[in-house]
Amino acid sequence: MPTVSIEMFPGRTRSQKADLVAKVTDAVVDALGVQPDVVKVKLYEIAPHHSAQGGVLASDRPGAAFGPPVTGE
Amino acid sequence: MPTVSIEMFPGRTRSQKADLVAKVTDAVVDALGVQPDVVKVKLYEIAPHHSAQGGVLASDRPGAAFGPPVTGE
Amino acid sequence: MPTVSIEMFPGRTRSQKADLVAKVTDAVVDALGVQPDVVKVKLYEIAPHHSAQGGVLASDRPGAAFGPPVTGE
Amino acid sequence: MPTVSIEMFPGRTRSQKADLVAKVTDAVVDALGVQPDVVKVKLYEIAPHHSAQGGVLASDRPGAAFGPPVTGE
Amino acid sequence: MPTVSIEMFPGRTRSQKADLVAKVTDAVVDALGVQPDVVKVKLYEIAPHHSAQGGVLASDRPGAAFGPPVTGE
Amino acid sequence: MPTVSIEMFPGRTRSQKADLVAKVTDAVVDALGVQPDVVKVKLYEIAPHHSAQGGVLASDRPGAAFGPPVTGE
């Protein structure tokens, strides 16, 4: 511990994922004062048609486009 | 919050999933008196060969057939 | 399966929780056509000082008050 | 309950998974004195490029090879 | 990895929990052929009034009594 | 989304938790290029007697002391 689990929409590149886990690990080390090596990070991709808010699937929202960050989430 | 995570076997159609998240959101709104928009629902599909009860994988149970609702779960 | 996990702020009464699991189970049965008895629901309470959006803990948001539904979430 | 969730790297065969859920169920029954049939086990495969320690993705570690048990994890 | 998460009703003693994590770790080592030290086990206690089946909270089931193993789960 | 869940041992102060969610949110925004407001962070405290490695509970490890960062994790 600490163990960090990150859920996000698909579409990020391998290097974005490497950058994400590095920056999140640094943030945890900085805030909690633990050693980097005890920090684990796991990534989980959730498809837009498996994620809903207000009773509507993300994939069914008008103008829904779930590319990587440019279109945001 | 509230955030609802639903694990189920694969096999449902997109419209069944849309119907599921809409009905579950309504149920949460009704029971907790919160606004629909704060209710998030996420769907996770678990393969029958990744789910076991009594030490036996669902896929190994005699007569195991994991289509959508007709065969139930 | 299906297994439903619901995360929410503390503060609901026992009867609200009973009402919530009953209504959510009905919604799942209705949408997926499964038997009620295969539907499991688990409730998890997350304190406002353990939940953040936009980098700010819910408990630190101005006017944050996390009683049951009246003040909403 | 009890419900057991096991996260692991991909690569195990169907029979290894069947063996795993059987042995873990026996261990839970033995330690907690519950009936086998109330014990549920779910398996989740996490790709090496979705799992990091010390800020580095498992897939980016030198010599990273994530076959089944022989190469271990 | 592998990481094992076990959800169960409260009521077990510290030594039962120690016995549980030891036996489950052995089972995973035996089935997957990994080193014991890479196996992590986490325990989560879920109150009977936070767990439901068939739309009814475990705590509301007639004769519901959730002591340790003797009464089972 | 993205939603970040962080499991850690108990013992951090409220301000450490506020610092943690702020820094982790910044890291996610920086790496994924999303808006801060879509980033949610949830904290989960796991007691040392509910967390094991190599079959041994953290609380049973010789010299186990689980104060905040100074003693690390």
Side-chain angles (χ1 to χ4, degrees):
Chain A
M1 288 225 247
T3 300
V4 182
S5 302
I6 304 176
E7 284 189 337
M8 58 190 183
F9 287 136
R12 273 66 187 202
T13 63
R14 190 68 67 96
S15 65
Q16 278 177 303
K17 292 173 182 175
D19 189 37
L20 175 63
V21 299
K23 285 177 173 158
V24 165
T25 299
D26 289 347
V28 172
V29 167
D30 192 11
L32 298 187
V34 295
Q35 295 299 314
D37 226 31
V38 304
V39 180
K40 289 177 192 60
V41 180
K42 292 182 275 190
L43 307 180
Y44 302 85
E45 291 180 328
I46 306 234
H49 65 278
H50 280 172
S51 173
Q53 183 168 356
V56 178
L57 289 171
S59 54
D60 291 345
R61 287 192 178 278
F66 292 91
V70 171
T71 60
E73 297 184 334
Chain B
M1 289 228 246
T3 300
V4 182
S5 302
I6 304 176
E7 284 189 339
M8 58 190 182
F9 288 136
R12 271 66 186 204
T13 62
R14 191 68 67 97
S15 64
Q16 279 178 302
K17 293 173 183 177
D19 188 37
L20 175 63
V21 300
K23 284 177 175 158
V24 165
T25 298
D26 289 344
V28 173
V29 168
D30 192 12
L32 298 187
V34 295
Q35 294 299 315
D37 227 31
V38 303
V39 180
K40 292 179 190 57
V41 180
K42 291 181 276 191
L43 307 180
Y44 302 86
E45 290 179 331
I46 307 236
H49 64 279
H50 280 172
S51 173
Q53 182 168 357
V56 178
L57 289 172
S59 53
D60 291 345
R61 286 190 178 279
F66 291 89
V70 169
T71 58
E73 295 183 338
Chain C
M1 292 229 241
T3 299
V4 182
S5 302
I6 304 176
E7 284 189 337
M8 57 189 184
F9 287 136
R12 272 66 186 201
T13 62
R14 191 68 67 98
S15 66
Q16 279 177 304
K17 292 173 183 176
D19 188 37
L20 175 62
V21 300
K23 284 176 173 157
V24 165
T25 299
D26 289 345
V28 173
V29 167
D30 192 11
L32 298 186
V34 295
Q35 295 298 315
D37 227 32
V38 304
V39 180
K40 290 178 190 60
V41 180
K42 291 181 275 190
L43 306 180
Y44 302 85
E45 291 179 329
I46 306 233
H49 65 278
H50 281 171
S51 173
Q53 182 168 355
V56 179
L57 289 171
S59 53
D60 291 345
R61 287 191 178 279
F66 292 90
V70 171
T71 58
E73 297 181 337
Chain D
M1 289 227 242
T3 301
V4 182
S5 302
I6 304 176
E7 283 189 337
M8 58 190 184
F9 287 136
R12 271 65 186 202
T13 62
R14 189 68 67 95
S15 64
Q16 278 177 304
K17 292 174 183 177
D19 188 37
L20 175 63
V21 300
K23 284 176 175 159
V24 165
T25 299
D26 288 345
V28 173
V29 167
D30 192 11
L32 298 187
V34 296
Q35 294 298 315
D37 225 32
V38 303
V39 180
K40 290 179 192 57
V41 180
K42 292 182 276 190
L43 306 180
Y44 303 85
E45 290 179 328
I46 306 234
H49 65 278
H50 280 171
S51 173
Q53 182 168 357
V56 178
L57 289 171
S59 54
D60 291 345
R61 286 191 178 279
F66 292 89
V70 169
T71 59
E73 296 182 338
Chain E
M1 290 229 242
T3 299
V4 181
S5 301
I6 304 176
E7 284 189 337
M8 58 191 182
F9 288 136
R12 271 67 186 203
T13 62
R14 191 68 65 98
S15 65
Q16 279 178 302
K17 292 173 183 177
D19 188 38
L20 175 63
V21 299
K23 285 176 175 158
V24 164
T25 299
D26 289 345
V28 173
V29 168
D30 192 12
L32 298 186
V34 295
Q35 295 298 314
D37 227 33
V38 303
V39 180
K40 291 178 191 58
V41 179
K42 292 182 275 190
L43 307 180
Y44 302 86
E45 291 179 328
I46 306 236
H49 64 278
H50 280 172
S51 174
Q53 182 168 356
V56 179
L57 289 172
S59 53
D60 291 346
R61 287 192 178 276
F66 291 90
V70 171
T71 59
E73 297 181 341
Chain F
M1 291 230 241
T3 301
V4 181
S5 301
I6 303 176
E7 285 188 338
M8 58 190 183
F9 288 136
R12 272 65 187 203
T13 62
R14 190 70 64 98
S15 66
Q16 279 178 301
K17 292 173 183 177
D19 189 37
L20 175 63
V21 300
K23 284 176 174 157
V24 165
T25 299
D26 289 345
V28 173
V29 168
D30 192 11
L32 298 187
V34 295
Q35 295 298 315
D37 227 33
V38 304
V39 180
K40 290 176 191 60
V41 180
K42 291 181 276 190
L43 307 179
Y44 302 85
E45 291 179 329
I46 306 234
H49 65 278
H50 280 172
S51 173
Q53 183 168 356
V56 179
L57 289 172
S59 53
D60 291 345
R61 286 191 178 277
F66 291 90
V70 170
T71 59
E73 296 181 336

